[in-house]
Amino acid sequence: MSFPDNFLWGGATAANQYEGGWQEGGRGIAVHDLITDGTKDEPRRIYCRNDQGEETTIQMGECVPFGYRGVLKEEYYYPSHQATDFYHHYKEDIALMGEMGFKTYRLSISWTRIFPNGDDEEPNEDGLIFYDHVIDELRKYNIEPLVTILHFDMPLNLATKYGGWIDRKLIDFYLKFAKTLFVRWKDKVKYWITVNEINVLGGYWTLGLASNNRKKGSHSNQGETPLEDAGIKFQSIHHMLVASAMANKIAREINPKFMLGTMCALSGIYPATCHPDDVFGAYEFRRKALMFSDVTCRGYYPNYAQAIFDEYGFKLKMEPDDEKWLRENTSDYLAFSYYRTTAYDRFSPNTTTTGGQQASPNPYLEKTPWGWPIDPEGLRFVLNELYDRYQKPLFIVENGMGNDDIIKEDGIHDTYRIAYLRDHIKEMKKAVEIDKVNLLGYTTWGCIDIVSAGTGEMKKRYGFVYVDLDDKGYGSLKRIKKDSFNWYKKVIATNGEDLD
Ligand code: BG6
């Protein structure tokens, strides 16, 4: 058998895309509650207003202009408000996860459900009780909760009052939030992720940042940032890295058995050709992503970090103890997302990307309907790359294919999703069996359909379970098993041996 007996098979979601119940149980408003729906061609937007009543809009990845704040407009649809309503369906959904035999389920905690304003003195007990119920329900089915503390979640009040993560006070607010969770679930949760995809965060929606640069932002959630905004982004992410390290220390004092990781988006990158400029360009491009996992896994900024900062004319500001915090409180494992690979082409290098995820398409790979190249072998490549580099256990906490599923009279035949996952699991298996990579588990993304983060669509579905809801929020929310449901159930039951 290639996968260890305790291999953690499961699925993953995030509160901002799944939970809903946005005004229930005392939950406060987060910036993601102000993001409209979109499509793959029509960017999601945040409407903003200043004190004079003037309005403007920003896209995901952009900063809010100084003096403006995000507002809700009645005429628009905001997908996070209801999302796919885990808030009211958690029992039914967890039963479905249990039926599939999940060993783990990765969920994120809504910051504003616990601290509605982010800077409240006391946590909101109703919010904690909701997650108590979720965690107890998971335990009922022997499903190990894997908790992401922060997944694309920015309390609106912290963005408005402090300007987001550029202010170091955010470190304290985050630590209070994290500590509340560690203490509450010290005997019920073992696996933690301090921050989701820390290397691709940017702008108002994930960092709460303001700036007067009005260059076009990214349509995707992969953090394309105007050159001039890269500095505040790096500085803010530095604050988050320090916060993560401090959270690790607090967590270990509460329960030394906790497993703590910070998560990075580490879909792979190849050179477009064997031209040395493409090869070294790809190498440099990859470092823009690896720089962050270098900090969380090794405990310090790598030698090449300064070259990246120089590219953006940025000088990192460190407090005297920051380096010590980072050095002494590294992650126990590296959690990462993997969806695709891209190719670096010297003729069209994307110099404004500070997260290191956007580059040219690869002509050798098929694409999903949303244009994401499908590259199972790339997963084996990345698993080896990361394990060679860090020699720490790895955890694939997101992988999957977004597709528009069609309901037929005799069911939902998502053969394309089964093929995608099967091919990726085969390569993951080779990495474990042949290359001896230490892999803790695998959680597929959006195991029950959720709203797409990048486009805000419902029809970009990832799940084994279909949720009856359309792009404008109409539908019964009924859960329907797709063909992939029984397929994944069999994969888990055979510990990855039967993939047919
Ligand atoms: C990851 C995020 O970047 O990609 C998820 O952590 C997101 O929140 C996922 O949903 C897939 O992206 P999308 O845009 O298809 O939802």
Side-chain angles (χ1 to χ4, degrees), residues 94-375:
I94 292 172
L96 287 162
M97 295 174 198
E99 194 182 332
M100 276 187 277
F102 276 23
K103 310 285 181 208
T104 189
Y105 162 54
R106 175 182 176 222
L107 71 155
S108 81
I109 308 295
S110 156
W111 191 344
T112 56
R113 197 173 285 295
I114 308 301
F115 288 95
N117 300 295
D119 59 357
D120 315 72
E121 274 304 310
E122 297 298 326
N124 168 33
E125 186 58 22
D126 284 353
L128 288 164
I129 290 172
F130 167 67
Y131 294 112
D132 285 344
H133 290 157
V134 168
I135 290 168
D136 290 345
E137 198 68 18
L138 289 168
R139 287 272 167 226
K140 202 165 106 186
Y141 293 92
N142 288 321
I143 301 174
E144 183 85 46
L146 164 56
V147 172
T148 310
I149 298 170
L150 192 59
H151 190 130
F152 299 166
D153 205 339
M154 182 69 229
L156 179 61
N157 177 57
L158 295 186
T160 310
K161 205 151 133 192
Y162 304 92
W165 276 92
I166 195 67
D167 190 325
R168 285 185 73 106
K169 286 197 197 80
L170 270 275
I171 298 177
D172 298 330
F173 301 136
Y174 170 85
L175 290 177
K176 192 165 179 183
F177 170 44
K179 186 173 178 185
T180 304
L181 311 185
F182 295 144
V183 170
R184 183 90 172 194
W185 302 313
K186 68 176 185 323
D187 301 317
K188 292 185 175 177
V189 175
K190 177 177 175 193
Y191 291 91
W192 300 87
I193 291 174
T194 55
V195 181
N196 179 67
E197 295 193 337
I198 196 163
N199 58 322
V200 295
L201 304 180
Y204 187 50
W205 81 290
T206 53
L207 295 173
L209 300 179
S211 129
N212 278 342
N213 296 315
R214 297 313 318 277
K215 280 197 187 162
K216 198 173 167 297
S218 168
H219 175 198
S220 85
N221 63 335
Q222 298 294 341
E224 181 157 350
T225 307
L227 202 59
E228 298 83 346
D229 286 344
I232 49 170
K233 165 177 165 152
F234 282 134
Q235 190 63 47
S236 300
I237 296 179
H238 171 70
H239 297 159
M240 261 190 187
L241 288 164
V242 172
S244 283
M246 291 175 165
N248 286 349
K249 182 163 168 56
I250 293 172
R252 286 176 181 131
E253 282 162 9
I254 293 168
N255 184 347
K257 293 205 175 117
F258 280 163
M259 287 287 283
L260 298 144
T262 301
M263 193 270 212
C264 288
L266 288 168
S267 288
I269 174 108
Y270 302 137
T273 71
C274 55
H275 189 289
D277 287 351
D278 282 341
V279 176
F280 194 70
Y283 189 77
E284 280 191 308
F285 202 88
R286 184 61 166 165
R287 282 171 150 183
K288 289 181 177 172
L290 292 172
M291 175 168 79
F292 300 91
S293 44
D294 281 357
V295 175
T296 61
C297 291
R298 293 170 166 164
Y300 52 89
Y301 280 89
N303 48 295
Y304 61 82
Q306 194 53 51
I308 294 176
F309 294 154
D310 284 349
E311 217 180 293
Y312 303 97
F314 168 67
K315 178 130 185 40
L316 183 66
K317 288 189 221 67
M318 292 248 202
E319 294 281 307
D321 285 339
D322 285 2
E323 285 181 315
K324 191 167 178 291
W325 280 110
L326 296 176
R327 199 172 52 247
E328 292 179 358
N329 302 285
T330 54
S331 298
D332 295 315
Y333 67 99
L334 175 60
F336 70 100
S337 58
Y338 176 91
Y339 289 94
R340 54 183 167 177
T341 52
T342 44
Y344 176 89
D345 172 358
R346 65 195 184 282
F347 296 117
S348 56
N350 185 341
T351 52
T352 60
T353 299
T354 51
Q357 289 294 314
Q358 312 266 338
S360 305
N362 183 332
Y364 299 101
L365 301 176
E366 301 280 314
K367 289 182 186 156
T368 71
W370 270 261
W372 291 19
I374 302 172
D375 185 5

